[in-house]
Amino acid sequence: AQSVTQLDSHVSVSEGTPVLLRCNYSSSYSPSLFWYVQHPNKGLQLLLKYTSAATLVKGINGFEAEFKKSETSFHLTKPSAHMSDAAEYFCVVISNAGGTSYGKLTFGQGTILTVHP
Amino acid sequence: EPEVTQTPSHQVTQMGQEVILRCVPISNHLYFYWYRQILGQKVEFLVSFYNNEISEKSEIFDDQFSVERPDGSNFTLKIRSTKLEDSAMYFCASRSGNSGNTIYFGEGSWLTVV
């Protein structure tokens, strides 16, 4: 079984300040973890992914996330928010159980990021 | 960059009507998925499809739902008799055959059942 909890439903920051979106996961197997972003009226775009290589993962648009197994966390950060970062962010897990179960993504509830000028 | 495309982007249908949502996955991909997101709720897995058959489905995916890959390029989701609670954003996704590869999503089809 696998699950994802995004600890904040809404995060509000000022432009130029750091962003932290929190995610905790549980997984019966070694997980792969992803962050997707959804801008209004748009599809889900992959920001970054962790697949058991380096624990600090860099993604697009200056985002990065660190996989911490001891804390079962995969928080998303960005040093300086931009207005265009305003969107909904989803933390997603796949348990690497193999076979066709790979690909059944489990989504977190989503975090809406608001960026103020 | 290759992308997953979905049509229609929006559809309004009356309760009890049949709806077909269409998807064109990325051309060399082998695994296909449908997910849905009811307004204000999580994105939920519906079904996965590989080698021309369903490989996994959720409890949401009951007899009212079916999927098909009729011509080697399109991947469709059919809802036979829509209910009000079927109103949601439906996302198609695909991935290549290598373990660890990213799943790519389409922009979604908004279905409103009235």
Side-chain angles (χ1 to χ4, degrees):
Chain A
Q2 57 193 30
S3 67
V4 176
T5 302
Q6 291 181 242
L7 298 165
D8 306 291
S9 58
H10 290 83
V11 169
S12 182
V13 301
S14 297
E15 191 175 20
T17 64
V19 175
L20 170 64
L21 305 183
R22 297 182 294 166
C23 171
N24 286 99
Y25 71 90
S26 69
S27 174
S28 303
Y29 299 91
S30 172
S32 291
L33 293 154
F34 304 78
W35 277 97
Y36 282 86
V37 61
Q38 184 180 24
H39 288 91
N41 302 314
K42 294 290 186 183
L44 293 160
Q45 181 186 19
L46 180 71
L47 270 182
L48 49 79
K49 63 181 178 182
Y50 166 78
T51 54
S52 76
T55 56
L56 182 62
V57 181
K58 294 188 185 299
I60 62 171
N61 301 334
F63 284 94
E64 61 182 38
E66 187 171 8
F67 174 73
K68 291 187 176 180
K69 186 175 180 179
S70 61
E71 299 177 9
T72 61
S73 70
F74 190 57
H75 302 332
L76 181 70
T77 60
K78 182 173 180 176
S80 175
H82 191 272
M83 296 295 290
S84 61
D85 294 329
E88 188 163 15
Y89 292 79
F90 295 93
C91 183
V92 179
V93 66
I94 299 175
S95 286
N96 291 319
T100 56
S101 64
Y102 187 92
K104 183 181 174 181
L105 304 176
T106 298
F107 280 74
Q109 303 93 319
T111 299
I112 295 173
L113 176 65
T114 303
V115 182
H116 299 287
Chain B
E1 184 177 328
E3 58 182 19
V4 177
T5 56
Q6 290 184 240
T7 55
S9 56
H10 296 85
Q11 183 162 353
V12 179
T13 189
Q14 289 197 324
M15 192 168 53
Q17 294 297 303
E18 177 182 283
V19 161
I20 298 175
L21 305 179
R22 290 183 169 79
C23 170
V24 179
I26 294 172
S27 63
N28 62 344
H29 283 190
L30 302 176
Y31 294 83
F32 313 109
Y33 308 88
W34 284 100
Y35 287 78
R36 79 171 185 189
Q37 184 182 25
I38 294 171
L39 191 64
Q41 297 186 22
K42 283 188 182 187
V43 178
E44 304 171 291
F45 169 79
L46 290 179
V47 66
S48 59
F49 191 86
Y50 170 72
N51 199 27
N52 287 319
E53 62 183 20
I54 290 173
S55 50
E56 192 169 2
K57 61 183 180 179
S58 72
E59 57 193 28
I60 302 167
F61 195 88
D62 61 22
D63 291 344
Q64 293 297 312
F65 291 89
S66 63
V67 289
E68 204 175 37
R69 189 160 159 79
D71 56 10
S73 65
N74 290 288
F75 178 53
T76 62
L77 174 69
K78 182 191 290 186
I79 309 174
R80 288 189 184 83
S81 178
T82 50
K83 304 187 284 287
L84 295 176
E85 53 265 37
D86 294 327
S87 296
M89 174 77 94
Y90 289 81
F91 290 105
C92 175
S94 71
R95 72 175 177 97
S96 72
N98 300 321
S99 178
N101 266 1
T102 302
I103 294 175
Y104 293 87
F105 285 85
E107 294 204 344
S109 294
W110 259 119
L111 175 65
T112 302
V113 182
V114 297

